[in-house]
Amino acid sequence: MIQRHSKGAIFMHWFNAVCWITLLLSGFGLINNNELQPVGMWYVDFWHALLAPQNILVLHVTLGVVWVAVYAVYILARFNREAMPFLREISTFNPRSDMVWLFRKVLHLTVGEKIMRQKGMATDLPPQGFYNAGQKMFAVPAVLCSLGLIATGGIMLLSRSWLDGSAVVQWSIALHFLCAALVALGLPIHIYMATIAPGEGPAFRSMFTGSVPKEFAKHHNTLWYDKVVK
Ligand code: HEM
């Protein structure tokens, strides 16, 4: 077995997942406007049956503040050991091989390797580093949108005492919604790839155990495996 995630990184991933999903669900419950509510007013009614409107906001803001505070402590404590290496991994792109990987992976999952071979197409995937091209394509917007949500959420929180009704607040509301919606669109793909997509079981289990079998790392993350072995 090869060590892939530390205990701290595993805790932060699941803490992040619970916070993100609860913030998304409660945040969409705060859109009490027929024209802006993406799933329909039944969703707002559902939340109002659970909590008074002001308490949905209290839940949303409190959880958002706890999420930011816990992340700030983690990043300060593990800046060199985990935060920076993670940011370096997700932002290391190789445009040509990443595009080929993405294109062929989508075909693997849709038409299948057998039909690709019958059509005379190459089926092998270019070697990947710690994260594959698809994971990087989700991770970068997730990090950037998280920063956008923190900045715009902070402005909205401050707007209760000052800035009220200003253009800055109006823009913050729109950008807050946009950042949340972007990640909400990518999340089902992330969860599908982690839990249901064939061949990804060992990576999913590593988000609990911390390690992956050598053969899996060699096949899925060849460039990372080579570095670890060296
Ligand atoms: C039930 C929900 C979720 C499941 C089952 C899940 C599963 C996983 C797994 C298995 C990995 C590790 C992949 C590997 O080691 O190669 C991972 C990584 C990651 N997860 Fe999640 N995750 C969930 C929710 C979330 C949420 C809500 C976010 C943030 C909005 C998130 C962000 C990330 C990021 C940034 C990574 C690292 C890069 C990547 O693999 O895309 N995850 N997730």
Side-chain angles (χ1 to χ4, degrees):
M1 299 294 272
I2 297 185
Q3 174 74 18
R4 184 163 171 83
H5 304 292
S6 71
K7 285 197 177 88
I10 294 172
F11 171 79
M12 288 311 292
H13 176 268
W14 292 118
F15 169 76
N16 182 52
V18 170
C19 290
W20 250 100
I21 292 169
T22 314
L23 286 165
L24 269 180
L25 294 176
S26 56
F28 280 99
L30 287 168
I31 307 174
N32 197 357
N33 179 320
N34 201 11
E35 281 166 22
L36 296 176
Q37 177 50 251
V39 287
M41 290 307 281
W42 66 267
Y43 187 72
V44 178
D45 296 339
F46 167 77
W47 268 96
H48 288 177
L50 294 177
L51 285 174
Q54 67 274 23
N55 289 342
I56 307 173
L57 186 61
V58 170
L59 167 75
H60 188 79
V61 172
T62 309
L63 189 59
V65 171
V66 170
W67 173 64
V68 175
V70 173
Y71 252 102
V73 171
Y74 170 72
I75 291 171
L76 284 177
R78 302 256 169 117
F79 188 76
N80 287 329
R81 236 182 325 151
E82 289 179 8
M84 275 316 282
F86 170 76
L87 290 177
R88 219 174 289 126
E89 286 293 344
I90 62 166
S91 57
T92 305
F93 288 96
N94 180 336
R96 213 184 103 76
S97 96
D98 285 350
M99 288 315 287
V100 172
W101 188 95
L102 276 174
F103 182 69
R104 290 189 189 158
K105 185 72 183 177
V106 169
L107 288 177
H108 278 196
L109 293 170
T110 49
V111 297
E113 289 185 62
K114 200 171 148 202
I115 294 184
M116 284 172 75
R117 257 182 243 112
Q118 280 169 4
K119 300 272 175 209
M121 299 171 85
T123 58
D124 57 316
L125 298 172
Q128 299 294 293
F130 189 90
Y131 290 120
N132 62 47
Q135 290 174 319
K136 290 185 286 188
M137 265 188 66
F138 172 71
V140 171
V143 170
L144 293 179
C145 288
S146 296
L147 294 176
L149 285 163
I150 295 167
T152 52
I155 291 173
M156 284 191 268
L157 200 58
L158 289 177
S159 78
R160 307 198 128 233
S161 42
W162 53 284
L163 287 172
D164 205 16
S166 75
V168 178
V169 179
Q170 299 305 317
W171 273 103
S172 295
I173 296 170
L175 287 175
H176 200 75
F177 180 79
L178 194 74
C179 290
L182 255 179
V183 180
L185 288 176
L187 208 49
I189 304 172
H190 175 69
I191 296 176
Y192 170 81
M193 290 305 295
T195 55
I196 301 172
E200 299 299 328
F204 179 58
R205 286 191 287 278
S206 79
M207 256 308 166
F208 298 94
T209 62
S211 51
V212 283
K214 258 187 186 174
E215 278 313 306
F216 176 85
K218 198 173 177 180
H219 181 262
H220 277 66
N221 308 93
T222 314
L223 302 177
W224 171 60
Y225 175 83
D226 288 348
K227 230 191 272 173
V228 174
V229 168
K230 264 183 210 155

